[in-house]
Every structure is written in C-alpha cells, then in structure tokens.
Amino acid sequence: MHRSMTLKQRITLGLAAFLLALAVQIFLSFYQSGTVMQRLDDQMGQFNAISRFQGGVERGLTVLGDYRWEYGDADTLLSGLDSAFSTTDAWLWRIDGSLETVSEEEYLLYSAVCTTYKSYTALVEQLEAAVRTGDDAGAARLYYDQVLPCGSYLRQYTQQLLNTAISDAQGTYTEVSALSGRVKWAQTVVATVCLVLGCFMAWSVIRLLDPVQQMIGASRDIVAGKYDAPDVPIPGGGREIVQLTDAFNKMKHSMAQQMNTLQERNEMERELHRQKTEALELQNRMERSRMQQLRSQIDPHFLFNTLNVIQQTASTEKGYRTQALIMALSHLLRYSLMSNDEQVPLAREVRIVDEYYSIYHVRFGDRVRMRWCISDSLDLTETMVPSFILQPLVENSFKHGIAPKEEGGTVRIRIAPLRAKGLLRISVCDNGLGIEPEKLAQLQEGLASPRDRWEHIGVYNVAARLQLLDKRCHFVIRSRPGFGTAVSIYLPLVEIVEEEFEDDTPADRR
C-alpha cells in the first residue's frame, strides 16, 4: 500500500536537496576562481616575466651601445651591466618553459632564448674582464664581433617568444571565456534550484506554524481557566499535525475533567494545613514551656551556691561584710524572681554579673579578678538579651577555672556587636586551669544536644536556651590545660531606639 511522505520526511528531503544545491554552488564558485581565473593569471604572469626579461636584455645592450671605448667610464659600464643581468637572471627562471603547459613553438623559442642567453652571458663576462684590465681595444673588438650579434639574436628570440605567448594566450582566452560562460550558466541553474527549494521549505513551515498558533491561543484560554473554548480544528496536510491537534484537544478535555478532582483535593489540603497549623502552635507552646523549665533550673542551683558562700564568709567574719553579702544576695534574688520576661536590657545582665562578682570577691579576695571589655557602639540600656544568659558563664569560669587554681586568675568579659551578620557576640575568657582534651570533647558533644544534666548545669542551660531562641545562635568553647578556657555565644542583635519627638520642650528634657 502506498504511503505518502510525512511532513518531517518532506522537510528533511527538501533541506538535504537545498544543502546539496548550495554545496554545488560553492564548488562552482571555487572552480571558477581557482581553475578558470588561475589560467588567466598564469598567462598574465608569463607575459610579465617575458617582458621583464626582455627589458633587462635591452638595458644591457643599451649600456654597451652607449659606451665610448676610447674614453668611457669603465665603472659606469660594469655597474650598468650588473644591474641589467640582475634583472634578466631574476626573471628568466620565472618564464614557464614546460612543454606540458605551453605550445611546442613557445617551448622551442624558450630553449633558444636560454641557449643564446648563456652564450651572451659568457661573452659579456669576457668583455668585462677586458675592461677591468684596461684592454679597451680588445673589449671593443669583442663587442662588435661577437657580443652585439649574439645580443641581437637574443633580442630577436625574446621578441618572438613574447609574440608566440601572446598568440597562444588568445586561444586560451577564448577557451577560458567559453568555460566561464558554462560555469555561470550552471550557477544560474543551481541558484534557481536553491530558490525553489527555499520556497518549498518556507511553505512547509507556514503550514506547520498555522495550527501551532491556534494551539497557542487555546493554551492561553486553558491557562485562564476557559476549558469550554472550542476545540482546535483539525488541519489538512501532514498526519503529524493532525495527530498533534487531536492529542491537544484530548488533553484539554482531560484537564477539564481533572479540575473538579483538583478542587476537591485543594479543600482537603486546606483542612490538613489548618490541622498542621494547630499542631505547630501546640508544639511552639511546648517549646516555650520547655524553655521556661530550663530557665527555672538555674534558680535553686544559683541560690544554693550563693548561700554556701555567705555561710562560709559569715563563719569567719562578722558585721559589715555579712551585711554586704546579704545585700548583694537580695539583689540577685530579686532579679531572679523578676526575670520572667524573655528579653531584658543588657545593662541588667551586666549589673547582675557585677553583683555576683562582689559576692565571689568577698570570699576569694584578690585571687579572683574580673575585667569588662564592652564595645563603645553598644547602648547597654537599649540592647536586649535573654535573661540570665551571661551570669552562668561567668560563674562557670570562676567555679571551675579560677577557684581551683592556687594563685587565682582573671575573668575577661568581651561584648561586641556583629552588625553585618545581625548578631551579638559575648565572650567569657579565663586564665584558669583549663579543660583536658577528653573532657573538652565530651563537653562539646554534650553542648551539641544539651539535656538535663547535673554537672555544668549553667553552661548546658545556656546552650539549650540558645537552641530554642534562634537558629543563628550558637555556642563555642575552646580550652587548653594550664592556659584557660574561652566561651563565646552568638545571639541575635536586638537594639531598641527610643523616638525623640521634635515638639519636646527644653523643660521636658531636663
């Protein structure tokens, strides 16, 4: 059964024929410029070489003919002859004397020119030798008896060679002209074939694009939700376009049927989303309860340590020191009871650490020292941090780093903003005993997933609160035995700027 060619096959065949015709056109262009024109260029080169050689011969004969043998300048003669022979020697070898490319007559004349030129050259060399030795009479006899007749023959043979080359070139030009005409005719035919094939391919593409444009318009209606638009009409022509159009119409009907199912699924997804939102809210409440539980663990631990210090001091001293300790303790307890807010000014954290240090300093005296290094760009009253985030770190440095060391040490607290990252860095460093590598590894592993612990409860409490506070928060601890320990925490930088109204009076600002 006969089967018509598909649209793809027709386009492929047309494109192949077009490329073939284009390749033929390119070949003919190269053939015309590389073969036809090359023959003309070779002929012109042959004329030029013969003419330049003939000019050199004429120049040499003219120099000899103008020379006065009795009183002439020998150097001028020799210089003129050298110039003439330089020209003839340079152009003789460029004359094409191959029997394969020139006629037999031109080949014989070229051979005669070469033979005569050798004889002429030998005679002129004898003449130059006589001139150099001062034998002007002998040079003159040699010129009139041998050089002049030989030069005349060379001039005659060269002129005949030029005339023969011109005569042969006329036939070559006629042949090349005819060949060039045939090439141009072939180029015209090939160009016509390329034009016809281009029109066929353009017509095929237009037939392909027409139904595609209709499907693009129908696709826009589908995007807009208009599934009741008329179907794309089935075009005539290639069966590929017919199959494509039919598949597109079926796809549109299938999408319309699926819309109802998608709407039902959307209702179900909205209900699931509402349930997930409620579950997340419940999880957030549980996390806040967990955070409050972690924060509350520090109160009895801190109270126990503080009371222990006061008890030991009261047993050794009386009066004002005990009063000062109790006063500092009352401040600490008052802050602990009032610090239920999630965020407090950094100034309150600094003050509570100073109160804690005053109690610790009473017990250990000058063995313990504390130094502050706070960035000048921070306003402590307007920078907010989680409550009880700093005191546990300072307490840990005094208790585990400085106190066990016989000569004591210093705790340095550095606070600086990292505004480019939106973070606040707080570092607590001591020059105490340090931590052994094995214990430091265990401590770092525990800080990665802090849970309820009895040892280093303050540090683990801070690490757990940081995990619940913000994803950007992290806890870094470094230590070397005998050199000390450095703890750094990174918090979100929260700065509250009070607005100053322009209508405030000077009295109000006082």
Side-chain angles (χ1 to χ4, degrees):
M1 181 178 179
H2 176 70
R3 296 179 60 185
S4 60
M5 297 178 62
T6 64
L7 180 61
K8 178 180 179 180
Q9 291 174 342
R10 290 199 297 269
I11 293 178
T12 302
L13 182 60
L15 180 61
F18 178 81
L19 294 176
L20 179 62
L22 182 62
V24 172
Q25 179 73 6
I26 295 174
F27 170 76
L28 290 175
S29 298
F30 276 104
Y31 177 76
Q32 184 178 19
S33 60
T35 302
V36 177
M37 300 304 298
Q38 184 64 37
R39 295 181 64 180
L40 294 177
D41 292 341
D42 292 343
Q43 289 290 342
M44 295 302 298
Q46 181 79 345
F47 296 159
N48 182 57
I50 297 174
S51 178
R52 293 294 184 88
F53 176 77
Q54 186 180 25
V57 172
E58 291 293 338
R59 189 186 311 168
L61 293 175
T62 301
V63 170
L64 291 172
D66 294 340
Y67 183 69
R68 297 295 178 262
W69 301 100
E70 297 83 3
Y71 53 87
D73 187 359
D75 293 336
T76 303
L77 174 65
L78 296 176
S79 176
L81 290 175
D82 288 342
S83 176
F85 276 104
S86 297
T87 302
T88 53
D89 291 340
W91 287 101
L92 178 61
W93 68 271
R94 298 187 183 183
I95 300 175
D96 187 4
S98 176
L99 187 59
E100 297 178 356
T101 56
V102 299
S103 64
E104 183 177 358
E105 182 181 359
E106 186 174 348
Y107 172 76
L108 294 174
L109 288 173
Y110 173 75
S111 300
V113 168
C114 291
T115 302
T116 306
Y117 180 72
K118 290 180 180 179
S119 300
Y120 174 75
T121 302
L123 292 174
V124 172
E125 288 178 352
Q126 295 177 11
L127 186 146
E128 289 178 344
V131 171
R132 288 190 181 93
T133 58
D135 186 8
D136 293 337
R141 287 194 301 271
L142 182 62
Y143 169 70
Y144 288 110
D145 295 342
Q146 300 184 39
V147 174
L148 182 60
C150 184
S152 299
Y153 285 124
L154 179 61
R155 177 188 295 165
Q156 180 181 356
Y157 291 150
T158 303
Q159 184 63 43
Q160 290 178 355
L161 177 62
L162 180 61
N163 294 337
T164 303
I166 294 174
S167 177
D168 293 341
Q170 291 178 353
T172 303
Y173 178 77
T174 302
E175 180 182 354
V176 169
S177 298
L179 180 60
S180 179
R182 289 193 296 271
V183 170
K184 289 181 179 179
W185 180 84
Q187 288 179 331
T188 303
V189 173
V190 173
T192 304
V193 172
C194 289
L195 181 62
V196 172
L197 291 175
C199 294
F200 169 75
M201 293 178 62
W203 175 74
S204 300
V205 171
I206 291 175
R207 289 189 61 190
L208 174 63
L209 292 179
D210 186 34
V212 171
Q213 291 291 337
Q214 295 179 359
M215 283 186 282
I216 290 175
S219 300
R220 293 174 180 171
D221 293 336
I222 293 175
V223 172
K226 300 177 182 179
Y227 293 96
D228 56 348
D231 291 346
V232 177
I234 303 298
R239 60 175 178 268
E240 297 95 339
I241 302 300
V242 174
Q243 294 173 357
L244 178 62
T245 306
D246 183 61
F248 180 83
N249 292 331
K250 291 180 179 179
M251 179 191 67
K252 185 184 72 170
H253 295 310
S254 177
M255 292 180 64
Q257 293 175 359
Q258 292 178 1
M259 284 303 299
N260 294 330
T261 304
L262 291 175
Q263 291 176 356
E264 294 177 357
R265 289 182 179 178
N266 288 336
E267 292 294 335
M268 295 176 62
E269 289 178 356
R270 281 195 291 269
E271 180 65 20
L272 289 175
H273 178 71
R274 184 184 62 81
Q275 295 178 1
K276 289 182 179 179
T277 302
E278 294 177 353
L280 288 174
E281 180 64 23
L282 179 60
Q283 183 179 359
N284 290 334
R285 292 178 182 176
M286 294 176 63
E287 288 181 353
R288 286 195 293 269
S289 299
R290 169 65 178 164
M291 185 173 181
Q292 186 63 28
Q293 179 185 4
L294 290 170
R295 292 177 60 250
S296 64
Q297 290 177 357
I298 195 171
D299 294 339
H301 173 71
F302 173 69
L303 180 59
F304 174 78
N305 290 338
T306 305
L307 291 177
N308 187 30
V309 172
I310 295 176
Q311 181 183 4
Q312 294 177 8
T313 304
S315 64
T316 57
E317 296 185 10
K318 301 178 182 179
Y320 63 91
R321 290 191 177 182
T322 303
Q323 183 180 2
L325 289 174
I326 294 175
M327 182 65 68
L329 176 60
S330 65
H331 292 165
L332 293 175
L333 291 176
R334 185 179 299 110
Y335 180 72
S336 176
L337 294 174
M338 295 176 59
S339 59
N340 291 325
D341 299 334
E342 294 183 358
Q343 298 286 328
V344 296
L346 181 57
R348 295 176 64 180
E349 284 291 298
V350 172
R351 187 180 65 182
I352 200 64
V353 172
D354 283 334
E355 295 286 354
Y356 172 78
Y357 172 67
S358 65
I359 296 174
Y360 222 83
H361 188 264
V362 169
R363 176 184 175 187
F364 292 96
D366 292 336
R367 287 184 59 221
V368 296
R369 294 173 297 277
M370 186 174 69
R371 300 287 183 269
W372 290 97
C373 182
I374 302 177
S375 174
D376 295 335
S377 63
L378 277 177
D379 190 335
L380 300 183
T381 60
E382 295 178 355
T383 304
M384 309 300 291
V385 296
S387 61
F388 264 108
I389 201 70
L390 179 56
Q391 187 275 339
L393 304 180
V394 178
E395 178 185 359
N396 191 72
S397 292
F398 279 126
K399 180 179 179 181
H400 299 283
I402 303 301
K405 192 175 181 180
E406 182 178 356
E407 64 273 19
T410 303
V411 175
R412 291 180 172 83
I413 305 172
R414 295 182 174 88
I415 304 177
L418 305 177
R419 289 190 170 87
K421 300 181 179 179
L423 297 176
L424 177 68
R425 181 178 61 193
I426 300 177
S427 300
V428 179
C429 307
D430 65 71
N431 57 352
L433 296 179
I435 306 174
E436 296 296 330
E438 296 78 7
K439 292 184 179 180
L440 179 61
Q442 295 176 1
L443 181 59
Q444 290 174 340
E445 182 180 359
L447 290 173
S449 57
R451 298 183 180 87
D452 297 338
R453 301 172 186 267
W454 294 104
E455 185 181 4
H456 301 290
I457 182 173
V459 175
Y460 285 117
N461 183 281
V462 172
R465 292 171 60 193
L466 288 177
Q467 287 188 353
L468 295 176
L469 182 62
D470 194 291
K471 293 182 179 179
R472 296 177 298 170
C473 298
H474 56 283
F475 191 109
V476 180
I477 180 170
R478 298 183 297 273
S479 182
R480 289 180 61 188
F483 289 91
T485 304
V487 175
S488 299
I489 60 174
Y490 295 84
L491 309 169
L493 180 60
V494 180
E495 294 178 302
I496 301 176
V497 180
E498 296 182 357
E499 297 181 356
E500 295 182 1
F501 296 96
E502 297 180 357
D503 57 352
D504 289 345
T505 63
D508 295 332
R509 297 178 184 178
R510 287 200 300 268

